[in-house]
Amino acid sequence: MNSFVKIFMALVLAFGLSISGAGAANASGATNESEPAGSPAQIKPEYQGLPSTMEAGKKYKLTINTEYVGELELEGRFSFLNSNGEKVENVKTTLSRTKKYYTTTGYFTPKAEGTYLILFGLKQKNAKGEIVEAYLAEGLKVIDKNKINLTVSPNQITAKLGEEIPVLVTYNSNVTTKLEFNQKVTELGSSRKSGVYRKVFLWKPEKKGEYTLKVKASQTRYDRVETKEIKIVVE
């Protein structure tokens, strides 16, 4: 199943849109002239001032205008095709004073960085008593300016028994960040520039074998945790 079909199948499930109506629209939102008689007519809503990129944790007002063709049958609804509990809150649909369009507003506070597909649907009934469906799928890019971006280097190490193994740990932080290791390490030195920390730690294995050195960075203020692992072979 291609991505376009998946989108409209999701719309069917989320908003009760008819399968014939969803399948009759092409990628630009235009109605297929060969759709079967009796299929609901379709129109394409439009976002007003939707930002190309959003920040995690920041609240945004979403506004969509849908051409007025008749009585509101189903108020505008938002849903996500891929998310971890993301949702649009306080959604409401009102008719403009000029009765040219319905305006649907809602508030979205993205929780995590990523790319999301947000779906919108609405139904009207025209003067002939026909159902007219409106639907829209839009991609949203969310960035997290407070992301820790924990990295370790190198990711794999082969060393001799008795050697002290240096490990470079870098992360972003504008608040207190706690680093934890599953092995006993010694901090050799650290630096900070433009919010990026670079710290060097030493670990000395006590016997030969294969090890996994785990590094955990946590920020209680933002409830963020990131972990990295280093594979080490001691000969």
Side-chain angles (χ1 to χ4, degrees):
M1 183 182 295
N2 62 38
S3 59
F4 179 71
V5 175
K6 287 181 180 178
I7 291 171
F8 286 106
M9 287 301 291
L11 286 168
V12 170
L13 296 175
F15 307 121
L17 302 179
S18 70
I19 294 178
S20 59
N26 61 26
S28 65
T31 301
N32 188 331
E33 295 179 357
S34 62
E35 68 180 9
S39 295
Q42 298 139 23
I43 52 178
K44 185 176 181 180
E46 292 184 356
Y47 275 101
Q48 305 299 304
L50 183 70
S52 58
T53 302
M54 297 182 175
E55 295 179 25
K58 186 176 179 180
K59 189 175 184 179
Y60 294 86
K61 182 179 181 180
L62 303 182
T63 302
I64 287 186
N65 284 347
T66 306
E67 178 189 354
Y68 172 82
V69 296
E71 180 183 350
L72 190 63
E73 186 75 6
L74 178 68
E75 292 193 0
R77 296 182 182 180
F78 294 92
S79 182
F80 289 86
L81 190 60
N82 54 330
S83 75
N84 290 319
E86 302 285 359
K87 61 181 179 179
V88 181
E89 301 179 313
N90 300 322
V91 179
K92 64 178 181 179
T93 300
T94 57
L95 181 61
S96 66
R97 292 181 179 180
T98 59
K99 292 188 176 182
K100 290 185 177 180
Y101 53 82
Y102 284 103
T103 298
T104 302
T105 58
Y107 294 88
F108 174 48
T109 305
K111 298 178 180 179
E113 188 173 80
T115 301
Y116 301 94
L117 188 62
I118 185 170
L119 311 175
F120 175 80
L122 177 149
K123 285 185 180 181
Q124 302 177 53
K125 182 183 291 185
N126 63 20
K128 297 179 181 179
E130 301 168 332
I131 298 298
V132 180
E133 298 176 346
Y135 49 84
L136 181 63
E138 190 74 28
L140 298 179
K141 182 179 180 181
V142 177
I143 61 173
D144 188 349
K145 288 189 173 181
N146 295 313
K147 191 174 180 180
I148 299 175
N149 288 320
L150 176 67
T151 64
V152 293
S153 180
N155 298 113
Q156 294 184 340
I157 301 172
T158 299
K160 298 293 184 181
L161 183 63
E163 290 182 354
E164 287 189 311
I165 300 172
V167 175
L168 173 63
V169 177
T170 66
Y171 60 92
N172 298 352
S173 179
N174 57 4
V175 297
T176 300
T177 301
K178 182 179 180 180
L179 291 180
E180 298 175 88
F181 298 81
N182 67 331
Q183 305 282 351
K184 185 179 180 180
V185 298
T186 302
E187 184 173 338
L188 183 63
S190 66
S191 65
R192 179 180 181 273
K193 184 178 181 180
S194 302
V196 179
Y197 287 82
R198 297 169 61 87
K199 296 189 176 186
V200 177
F201 296 88
L202 293 178
W203 177 65
K204 187 174 182 178
E206 297 181 354
K207 59 182 180 179
K208 296 180 180 180
E210 296 183 0
Y211 298 85
T212 299
L213 178 62
K214 297 180 180 180
V215 185
K216 175 183 175 183
S218 56
Q219 296 176 346
T220 55
R221 179 174 176 180
Y222 294 120
D223 192 27
R224 289 183 172 88
V225 175
E226 292 184 25
T227 60
K228 295 291 182 180
E229 295 184 353
I230 302 172
K231 300 297 182 182
I232 303 174
V233 177
V234 179
E235 300 176 337

